[in-house]
Amino acid sequence: MAGKTERFQKKVAESEIGAIRKRWKGRIKVALVYPNTYHVGMSNLGFQAVYELINKIEHAVCERSFLPTTTGKKSDRILSVESGKPISNFDIIAFSVSFENDYPNLLTILDKAGLPLLSDDRGPPHPLIIAGGVALLLNPEPLAPFIDCFLIGEAEAILPRFFDTVSPDVLVQNRRSCLKTLAGEIPGIYVPTFYRAFYHSDGTLSAFEPIFDVPAKVERQYVEDISRIPICSKIVTPDTIFDSTFLIEVSRGCPHGCRFCSTGFVYRPPRFRTFSLLEKCMQKGALVTDKIGLVGAAISDLPDIDKLCRQSLEKDIRISFSSLRADAFSPELLSTLRKSNVKTATIAPEAGTERLRRVINKGITEIDILDATEALVAGGIPNLKLYFMIGLPTETMDDIDAIISLCKKIKHRFLESSRARKHMGEITVSLSSFVPKPFTPFQWVVLDDIHLLKEKIKKIKDGLKRVANIRIHADIPRWAYIQALLSRGDRNTAQILRLANKNQGNWPKTLKSSPVNPDFYVYRERPLNELFPWDFIDHGIHKSFLKKEYKRALLGKTSPPCPMESCHICGVCKEMVDIYK
């Protein structure tokens, strides 16, 4: 009798439109694994893009696999969706990792697949374990002992050369030689076993050096011109967060440079797709569903966004947006939201005061926020979601009080506009804890103390609990602590991950008995001259630029958006044009 995993795999496979099935014979077999559930993984457009890219390579076949929904059961096997075969039968297991908090799931999957956790304990006939994804662009070191090979950069720029180099025979006959070739000859390939970390007596990193003839720095790979590369859903399924929505990536990166957000730095320069390409993607999506989702960190900055909206209105297509700025709600956008039957729009003030928004370089004002609220409700969007961060650098309790005050002002505008339409919707206030991330101007700062974060959440909840039609949703500060630990950890952090795996995800027990002090990575403010575990990755951004931005933040000074054309200020582009003038 089929187990629960097999039955679930069969059910979701039957509901999918667009899955790829290729014969195994004569091809290198790749299990593409998202270290979370099917529902979460299939909502990730990047995961689907890699699935399609690998399958376009003639001599490769790629099948998907996910974390079982019942992770506590030993009997749950890790099977591919397409053929139902165990991932241990594949030549390569490729992890697509978007979030640090999924790192423990990666170890769970290796465990359930019957594979040794440590790279040094594996070899033929075990599959080669590779990994890439947004989280690993920032800092792969906490996973370094478990992964044979990291792909640092955008898949389109690395995968073709990678699969020109590897083959089943090579992996069996001389895997180490194959890894040396990959690391030494293909930019963006990082093989941890070929590098050694050295530490000072206080635990900080003193040096990070290659052991063999491989680059001292691993250069992030990216596609300079994405205007000819369509990235959209390969598979449409109702079993996702977006429910049978056809997703289209409209841009990469973000010009605004919010200092807490890694997207605005590691994806520089910001790139946008052309209207003609996006129009073709929409036409393709309209063949399978009437719901189109536009994905990107800066959708409202797309030069042809209004034109794209008019097109959707003419074609009777419903469009949703992954993100829109409060200062960018044009009449075309509002008409598209209304016609697409969008019930909830999102605004991200991030902070309650103008001072703190200057610190984080958010680039929107309270007037922008209030005007956007009024425009959305007047435009027929009944509900509003507000995103705020707590624990931001230089934050005081006055800034927390200001979140309460701003929410009340928004509610007042919301109420006035709703009365005119004779319908009162709901405001959801979402509170998340700031986590310092690598390659951002805030990579030097500490995480706010967990107890203080809880106190701030309680203060906001108490301040708004008597305000009608406002709901508060707050994340759990303990998970922000774990995320900070994994986002800024080094190779020693892998010991904590192994212990968490042994304790079956019991983090309080793990942190209490950890052989490595987790507070060292979370609550220690870094000196400006410290060598970071992730400094060996070259994103093109000068560390001096990030230091300058950090100092400007502490002074409450804003910086202009990335001009999306050559300048010298951050290092990614080379021409000498000073945007600070």
Side-chain angles (χ1 to χ4, degrees):
M1 183 179 176
K4 186 171 182 179
T5 298
E6 288 92 330
R7 293 195 299 273
F8 176 76
Q9 304 263 83
K10 185 174 184 295
K11 172 183 171 290
V12 298
E14 290 172 349
S15 69
E16 292 179 338
I17 299 172
I20 302 168
R21 287 173 172 80
K22 295 172 70 174
R23 294 190 179 190
W24 280 31
K25 188 175 180 180
R27 293 187 169 106
I28 189 163
K29 299 171 283 295
V30 183
L32 179 63
V33 182
Y34 195 91
N36 209 308
T37 62
Y38 176 94
H39 184 78
V40 176
M42 287 305 295
S43 303
N44 186 288
L45 183 56
F47 177 76
Q48 290 209 34
V50 173
Y51 172 70
E52 184 174 15
L53 283 167
I54 297 176
N55 274 313
K56 281 183 175 179
I57 298 169
E58 176 56 33
H59 62 279
V61 55
C62 180
E63 299 186 359
R64 295 160 294 138
S65 193
F66 304 89
L67 184 74
T69 53
T70 52
T71 56
K73 293 189 176 180
K74 294 269 187 185
S75 59
D76 276 323
R77 298 189 298 162
I78 309 298
L79 309 175
S80 76
V81 173
E82 283 77 4
S83 67
K85 294 179 180 177
I87 62 172
S88 55
N89 289 7
F90 288 72
D91 301 310
I92 296 174
I93 296 176
F95 284 98
S96 177
V97 187
S98 297
F99 304 103
E100 292 90 352
N101 284 6
D102 282 340
Y103 290 0
N105 295 338
L106 188 150
L107 270 62
T108 298
I109 289 168
L110 290 177
D111 239 354
K112 286 181 172 294
L115 298 171
L117 294 182
L118 295 175
S119 173
D120 289 345
D121 294 338
R122 295 191 302 265
H126 296 132
L128 185 75
I129 309 299
I130 70 174
V134 178
L136 305 180
L137 278 176
L138 304 179
N139 179 19
E141 283 303 278
L143 287 179
F146 312 112
I147 303 298
D148 299 321
C149 173
F150 290 96
L151 278 60
I152 306 297
E154 296 173 358
E156 302 94 335
I158 303 178
L159 285 176
R161 290 193 66 185
F162 177 89
F163 282 101
D164 282 344
T165 304
V166 299
S167 69
D169 291 341
V170 169
L171 292 178
V172 170
Q173 293 167 8
N174 201 333
R175 177 175 296 190
R176 191 170 181 83
S177 175
C178 177
L179 288 171
K180 281 186 179 179
T181 300
L182 287 168
E185 298 181 10
I186 301 180
I189 298 294
Y190 169 49
V191 179
T193 194
F194 297 156
Y195 295 79
R196 182 176 298 159
F198 300 90
Y199 297 91
H200 294 294
S201 58
D202 64 358
T204 58
L205 195 64
S206 63
F208 189 85
E209 299 172 353
I211 300 172
F212 299 106
D213 187 19
V214 294
K217 285 249 185 184
V218 178
E219 188 177 335
R220 170 219 46 168
Q221 299 300 292
Y222 73 102
V223 179
E224 290 188 20
D225 183 7
I226 64 170
S227 62
R228 295 188 300 274
I229 303 173
I231 295 294
C232 46
S233 294
K234 178 59 186 173
I235 297 170
V236 175
T237 169
D239 294 300
T240 69
I241 296 168
F242 307 108
D243 185 20
S244 296
T245 298
F246 187 86
L247 302 178
I248 302 171
E249 184 189 58
V250 304
S251 64
R252 287 187 189 169
C254 177
H256 296 284
C258 297
R259 291 171 177 140
F260 59 84
C261 178
S262 57
T263 298
F265 296 94
V266 299
Y267 282 106
R268 288 192 172 204
R271 291 150 288 159
F272 294 87
R273 287 187 167 82
T274 61
F275 171 76
S276 59
L277 182 64
L278 296 175
E279 184 182 34
K280 289 176 183 175
C281 290
M282 286 177 61
Q283 291 169 354
K284 180 180 177 182
L287 296 175
V288 293
T289 180
D290 66 341
K291 292 190 286 187
I292 303 291
L294 302 185
V295 178
I299 292 176
S300 45
D301 292 284
L302 182 71
D304 293 309
I305 185 64
D306 288 342
K307 189 176 177 182
L308 205 63
C309 287
R310 287 194 295 273
Q311 185 83 342
S312 72
L313 293 171
E314 294 170 5
K315 300 290 185 181
D316 202 29
I317 296 172
R318 291 188 287 165
I319 288 189
S320 59
F321 304 88
S322 64
S323 62
L324 292 169
R325 284 175 61 87
D327 56 353
F329 285 102
S330 66
E332 286 83 2
L333 274 174
L334 290 169
S335 296
T336 302
L337 291 170
R338 182 173 60 250
K339 192 205 170 192
S340 299
N341 203 28
V342 171
K343 299 298 183 185
T344 303
T346 299
I347 298 176
E350 309 295 0
T353 60
E354 300 284 6
R355 181 198 71 80
L356 196 50
R357 282 193 289 275
R358 287 195 299 272
V359 168
I360 64 177
N361 206 40
K362 181 63 183 177
I364 60 172
T365 66
E366 185 172 295
I367 293 173
D368 293 328
I369 295 162
L370 295 176
D371 287 349
T373 298
E374 186 174 338
L376 285 165
V377 179
I381 314 300
N383 304 307
L384 193 62
K385 190 168 189 177
L386 304 172
Y387 280 111
F388 289 96
M389 300 182 80
I390 57 171
L392 287 163
T394 78
E395 182 182 78
T396 68
M397 279 301 179
D398 287 341
D399 295 300
I400 298 301
D401 287 332
I403 291 176
I404 299 168
S405 175
L406 179 57
C407 286
K408 289 179 178 178
K409 291 178 184 177
I410 291 170
K411 167 66 188 298
H412 179 70
R413 283 283 191 103
F414 187 81
L415 183 61
E416 285 184 335
S417 203
S418 297
R419 279 174 177 161
R421 298 185 61 83
K422 299 180 180 179
H423 177 77
M424 184 64 182
E426 190 171 65
I427 298 174
T428 301
V429 177
S430 180
L431 305 174
S432 62
S433 302
F434 161 75
V435 175
K437 290 298 180 81
F439 295 106
T440 69
F442 290 153
Q443 63 183 342
W444 287 276
V445 305
V446 301
L447 181 78
D448 228 352
D449 183 82
I450 286 179
H451 300 292
L452 184 56
L453 290 171
K454 289 179 178 178
E455 182 183 335
K456 290 175 178 178
I457 290 170
K458 184 177 185 302
K459 187 177 182 65
I460 294 170
K461 285 183 173 180
D462 288 346
L464 294 173
K465 66 182 179 182
R466 291 186 176 85
V467 182
N469 295 87
I470 287 187
R471 289 191 305 119
I472 312 291
H473 172 77
D475 67 6
I476 299 171
R478 171 64 68 185
W479 287 112
Y481 180 96
I482 306 280
Q483 187 182 152
L485 166 66
L486 298 178
S487 68
R488 298 207 298 173
D490 54 24
R491 290 195 184 187
N492 291 322
T493 316
Q495 298 179 56
I496 303 176
L497 279 170
R498 287 191 73 188
L499 186 58
N501 183 67
K502 180 181 177 181
N503 292 334
Q504 296 184 316
N506 185 332
W507 276 100
K509 179 181 178 181
T510 297
L511 296 173
K512 188 176 181 180
S513 59
S514 170
V516 179
N517 178 14
D519 287 353
F520 176 78
Y521 303 99
V522 179
Y523 289 146
R524 182 176 60 86
E525 186 166 359
R526 315 291 175 99
L528 288 177
N529 63 350
E530 180 170 330
L531 179 66
F532 291 136
W534 53 87
D535 278 346
F536 73 94
I537 299 176
D538 181 8
H539 282 282
I541 300 175
H542 297 319
K543 201 171 182 180
S544 58
F545 164 74
L546 297 176
K547 288 178 184 178
K548 184 175 182 179
E549 280 296 296
Y550 179 38
K551 292 174 181 177
R552 289 176 69 85
L554 297 180
L555 294 172
K557 292 183 177 181
T558 61
S559 296
C562 172
M564 296 182 284
E565 58 189 31
S566 292
C567 77
H568 81 289
I569 200 70
C570 78
V572 174
C573 301
K574 309 303 179 188
E575 289 186 27
M576 305 294 285
V577 179
D578 194 341
I579 63 173
Y580 281 105
K581 286 184 178 178

